[in-house]
């Protein structure tokens, strides 16, 4: 039974060597076909001088270099595997020729099998760790917002900001209207009180010369106070007008800046779409 298993082991090793030789032969055949195609293409270029064929020639040169690199890699891999397999074969042949104990041979094969299984398990663990890392990176990429989502967020924030500013302006306008009406109410109450006072004292003041003089002085004081009040109101109106003009200028500048930002945003979106299209074409 041990001799039969050893022969099977030899047959499998020889089959592996044959497979490697066939792969190397296939690679050589591909290299020869590419070289032949290159020679034919060079002759056609000399005869016709076509520019598209020159590009094809360049691509074939790149393919040839790639095939040469693959050939060297396959040769190195083939040499390493062949040397390893030949060492194993020679080792097994020496053991069989020396008449080694079947148990020792079986133990050696079991040790090689266990070592191979250990290497396979280590490779599986490394592969699982790399897959977990790749999945984690993909999740992080999925969690990150895309360019279109960022643009949508920006539009939404701009709309909310405009809505808040509009509400703020309305609230300020309502407060200003309320304060103005409250001041008008106070002035009207003072005017009514003054008119009632004049009406109640007019008959007594007009009866005598001294009363008339006092009435005239009182009226002049009232007129002077009213003029001072009017001057203060006009000064406040001028200040408010200056503020209003400054706000209008700021509004005009802000509208111009907004139009410029919209144009820049549109150009940026077009460039992003063009970049995504180029990336898609490159990846495909």
């Amino acid at each position: 039974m041990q001799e039969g298993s050893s022969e099977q082991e030899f047959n499998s090793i020889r089959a592996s060597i044959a497979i490697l030789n066939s792969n190397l032969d296939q690679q050589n055949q591909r290299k020869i076909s590419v070289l032949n195609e290159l020679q034919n293409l060079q002759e056609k270029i000399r005869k016709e001088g076509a520019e598209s064929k020159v590009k094809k020639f360049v691509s074939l040169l790149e393919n040839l270099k790639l095939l040469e690199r693959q050939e060297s890699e396959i040769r190195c891999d083939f040499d390493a595997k062949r040397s390893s397999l030949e060492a194993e074969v020679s080792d097994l042949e020496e053991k069989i020729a020396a008449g080694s104990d079947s148990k020792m041979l079986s133990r050696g094969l079991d040790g090689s099998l266990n070592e191979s299984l250990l290497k396979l398990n280590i490779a599986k663990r490394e592969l699982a760790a790399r897959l977990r890392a790749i999945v984690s990176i993909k999740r992080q990429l999925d969690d990150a917002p895309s360019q279109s989502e960022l643009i949508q967020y920006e539009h939404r924030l701009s709309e909310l900001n405009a809505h808040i500013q509009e509400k703020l302006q309305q609230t300020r306008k309502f407060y200003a209207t309320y304060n103005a009406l409250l001041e008008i109410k106070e002035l009207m109450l003072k005017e009514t009180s003054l008119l009632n006072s004049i009406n109640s004292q007019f008959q007594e003041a007009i009866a005598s010369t001294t009363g008339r003089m006092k009435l005239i002085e009182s009226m002049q004081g009232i007129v002077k106070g009213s003029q001072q009040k009017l001057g203060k109101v006009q000064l406040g109106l001028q200040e408010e007008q200056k503020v209003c003009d400054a706000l209008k200028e700021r509004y005009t500048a802000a509208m111009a800046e907004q139009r410029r930002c919209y144009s820049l945003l549109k150009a940026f979106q077009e460039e992003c779409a063009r970049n995504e299209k180029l990336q898609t074409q490159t990846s495909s």
Side-chain angles (χ1 to χ4, degrees):
M1 293 296 290
Q2 294 296 331
E3 292 179 357
S5 61
S6 299
E7 290 179 358
Q8 290 177 0
E9 189 73 22
F10 293 152
N11 292 328
S12 62
I13 291 170
R14 290 192 181 93
S16 299
I17 294 172
I19 291 170
L20 290 174
N21 287 323
S22 64
N23 290 332
L24 186 60
D25 293 336
Q26 290 178 2
Q27 191 70 21
N28 289 328
Q29 290 177 2
R30 289 176 63 188
K31 181 180 177 181
I32 292 169
S33 64
V34 171
L35 289 173
N36 293 329
E37 190 174 355
L38 283 174
Q39 291 177 358
N40 295 329
L41 185 60
Q42 286 177 352
E43 293 177 359
K44 289 182 181 179
I45 288 172
R46 292 192 190 97
K47 292 179 181 179
E48 300 177 1
E51 201 172 314
S52 61
K53 293 181 180 180
V54 174
K55 293 180 180 179
K56 186 177 180 182
F57 176 71
V58 173
S59 65
L60 287 173
L61 282 176
E62 293 177 355
N63 291 330
L64 178 60
K65 291 179 181 179
L66 180 61
L67 289 172
E68 288 178 352
R69 287 197 298 270
Q70 291 178 356
E71 181 185 1
S72 62
E73 291 176 358
I74 290 173
R75 283 182 180 276
C76 292
D77 190 15
F78 172 74
D79 292 336
K81 290 183 178 180
R82 184 176 61 183
S83 61
S84 177
L85 291 173
E86 287 177 352
E88 290 180 3
V89 169
S90 61
D91 189 16
L92 290 172
E93 287 177 350
E94 288 175 359
K95 289 180 180 180
I96 292 171
S100 297
D101 190 22
S102 61
K103 292 183 178 180
M104 295 293 294
L105 184 60
S106 176
R107 289 176 183 175
L109 292 174
D110 291 338
S112 300
L113 181 60
N114 292 329
E115 185 178 357
S116 300
L117 289 174
L118 181 60
K119 291 180 180 180
L120 179 61
N121 292 328
I122 292 171
K124 284 182 178 180
R125 286 196 293 270
E126 291 178 355
L127 179 61
R130 290 185 181 181
L131 288 175
R132 286 194 295 270
I134 291 170
V135 171
S136 177
I137 293 171
K138 285 184 178 180
R139 287 177 180 174
Q140 292 177 4
L141 291 174
D142 293 336
D143 293 337
S146 62
Q147 188 67 36
S148 59
E149 291 176 349
L150 289 175
I151 293 172
Q152 290 179 358
Y153 294 156
E154 184 179 0
H155 280 305
R156 184 56 181 164
L157 289 174
S158 299
E159 292 174 358
L160 290 173
N161 187 23
H163 183 68
I164 291 170
Q165 293 296 328
E166 184 180 358
K167 289 293 183 182
L168 180 61
Q169 292 295 330
Q170 289 180 358
T171 305
R172 288 177 178 174
K173 184 178 179 181
F174 291 153
Y175 272 105
T177 303
Y178 174 78
N179 293 329
L181 292 174
L182 186 62
E183 188 175 357
I184 291 171
K185 177 185 176 183
E186 291 177 355
L187 291 174
M188 290 180 70
L189 290 174
K190 289 180 180 179
E191 184 180 359
T192 303
S193 176
L194 181 60
L195 291 174
N196 290 330
S197 177
I198 292 171
N199 187 27
S200 62
Q201 296 176 4
F202 182 75
Q203 296 297 330
E204 296 178 358
I206 203 68
S208 63
T209 304
T210 305
R212 285 196 295 271
M213 293 300 294
K214 289 181 178 180
L215 180 61
I216 291 170
E217 291 176 358
S218 177
M219 295 298 293
Q220 288 176 353
I222 292 169
V223 171
K224 186 177 179 180
S226 299
Q227 288 178 351
Q228 290 178 354
K229 186 69 175 176
L230 180 62
K232 291 181 181 180
V233 172
Q234 288 178 351
L235 183 62
L237 179 62
Q238 290 176 0
E239 295 293 332
E240 291 292 333
Q241 188 65 36
K242 289 180 182 180
V243 173
C244 183
D245 294 338
L247 290 174
K248 284 182 180 179
E249 292 178 358
R250 288 177 60 187
Y251 177 74
T252 304
M255 290 299 294
E257 184 68 18
Q258 184 181 13
R259 287 192 293 271
R260 188 179 72 85
C261 290
Y262 279 152
S263 63
L264 290 175
L265 180 62
K266 184 177 180 181
F268 178 71
Q269 291 175 352
E270 291 176 355
E271 290 296 329
C272 288
R274 189 180 302 171
N275 187 18
E276 291 179 356
K277 185 177 180 181
L278 290 174
Q279 288 180 354
T280 304
Q281 292 178 355
T282 304
S283 62
S284 62

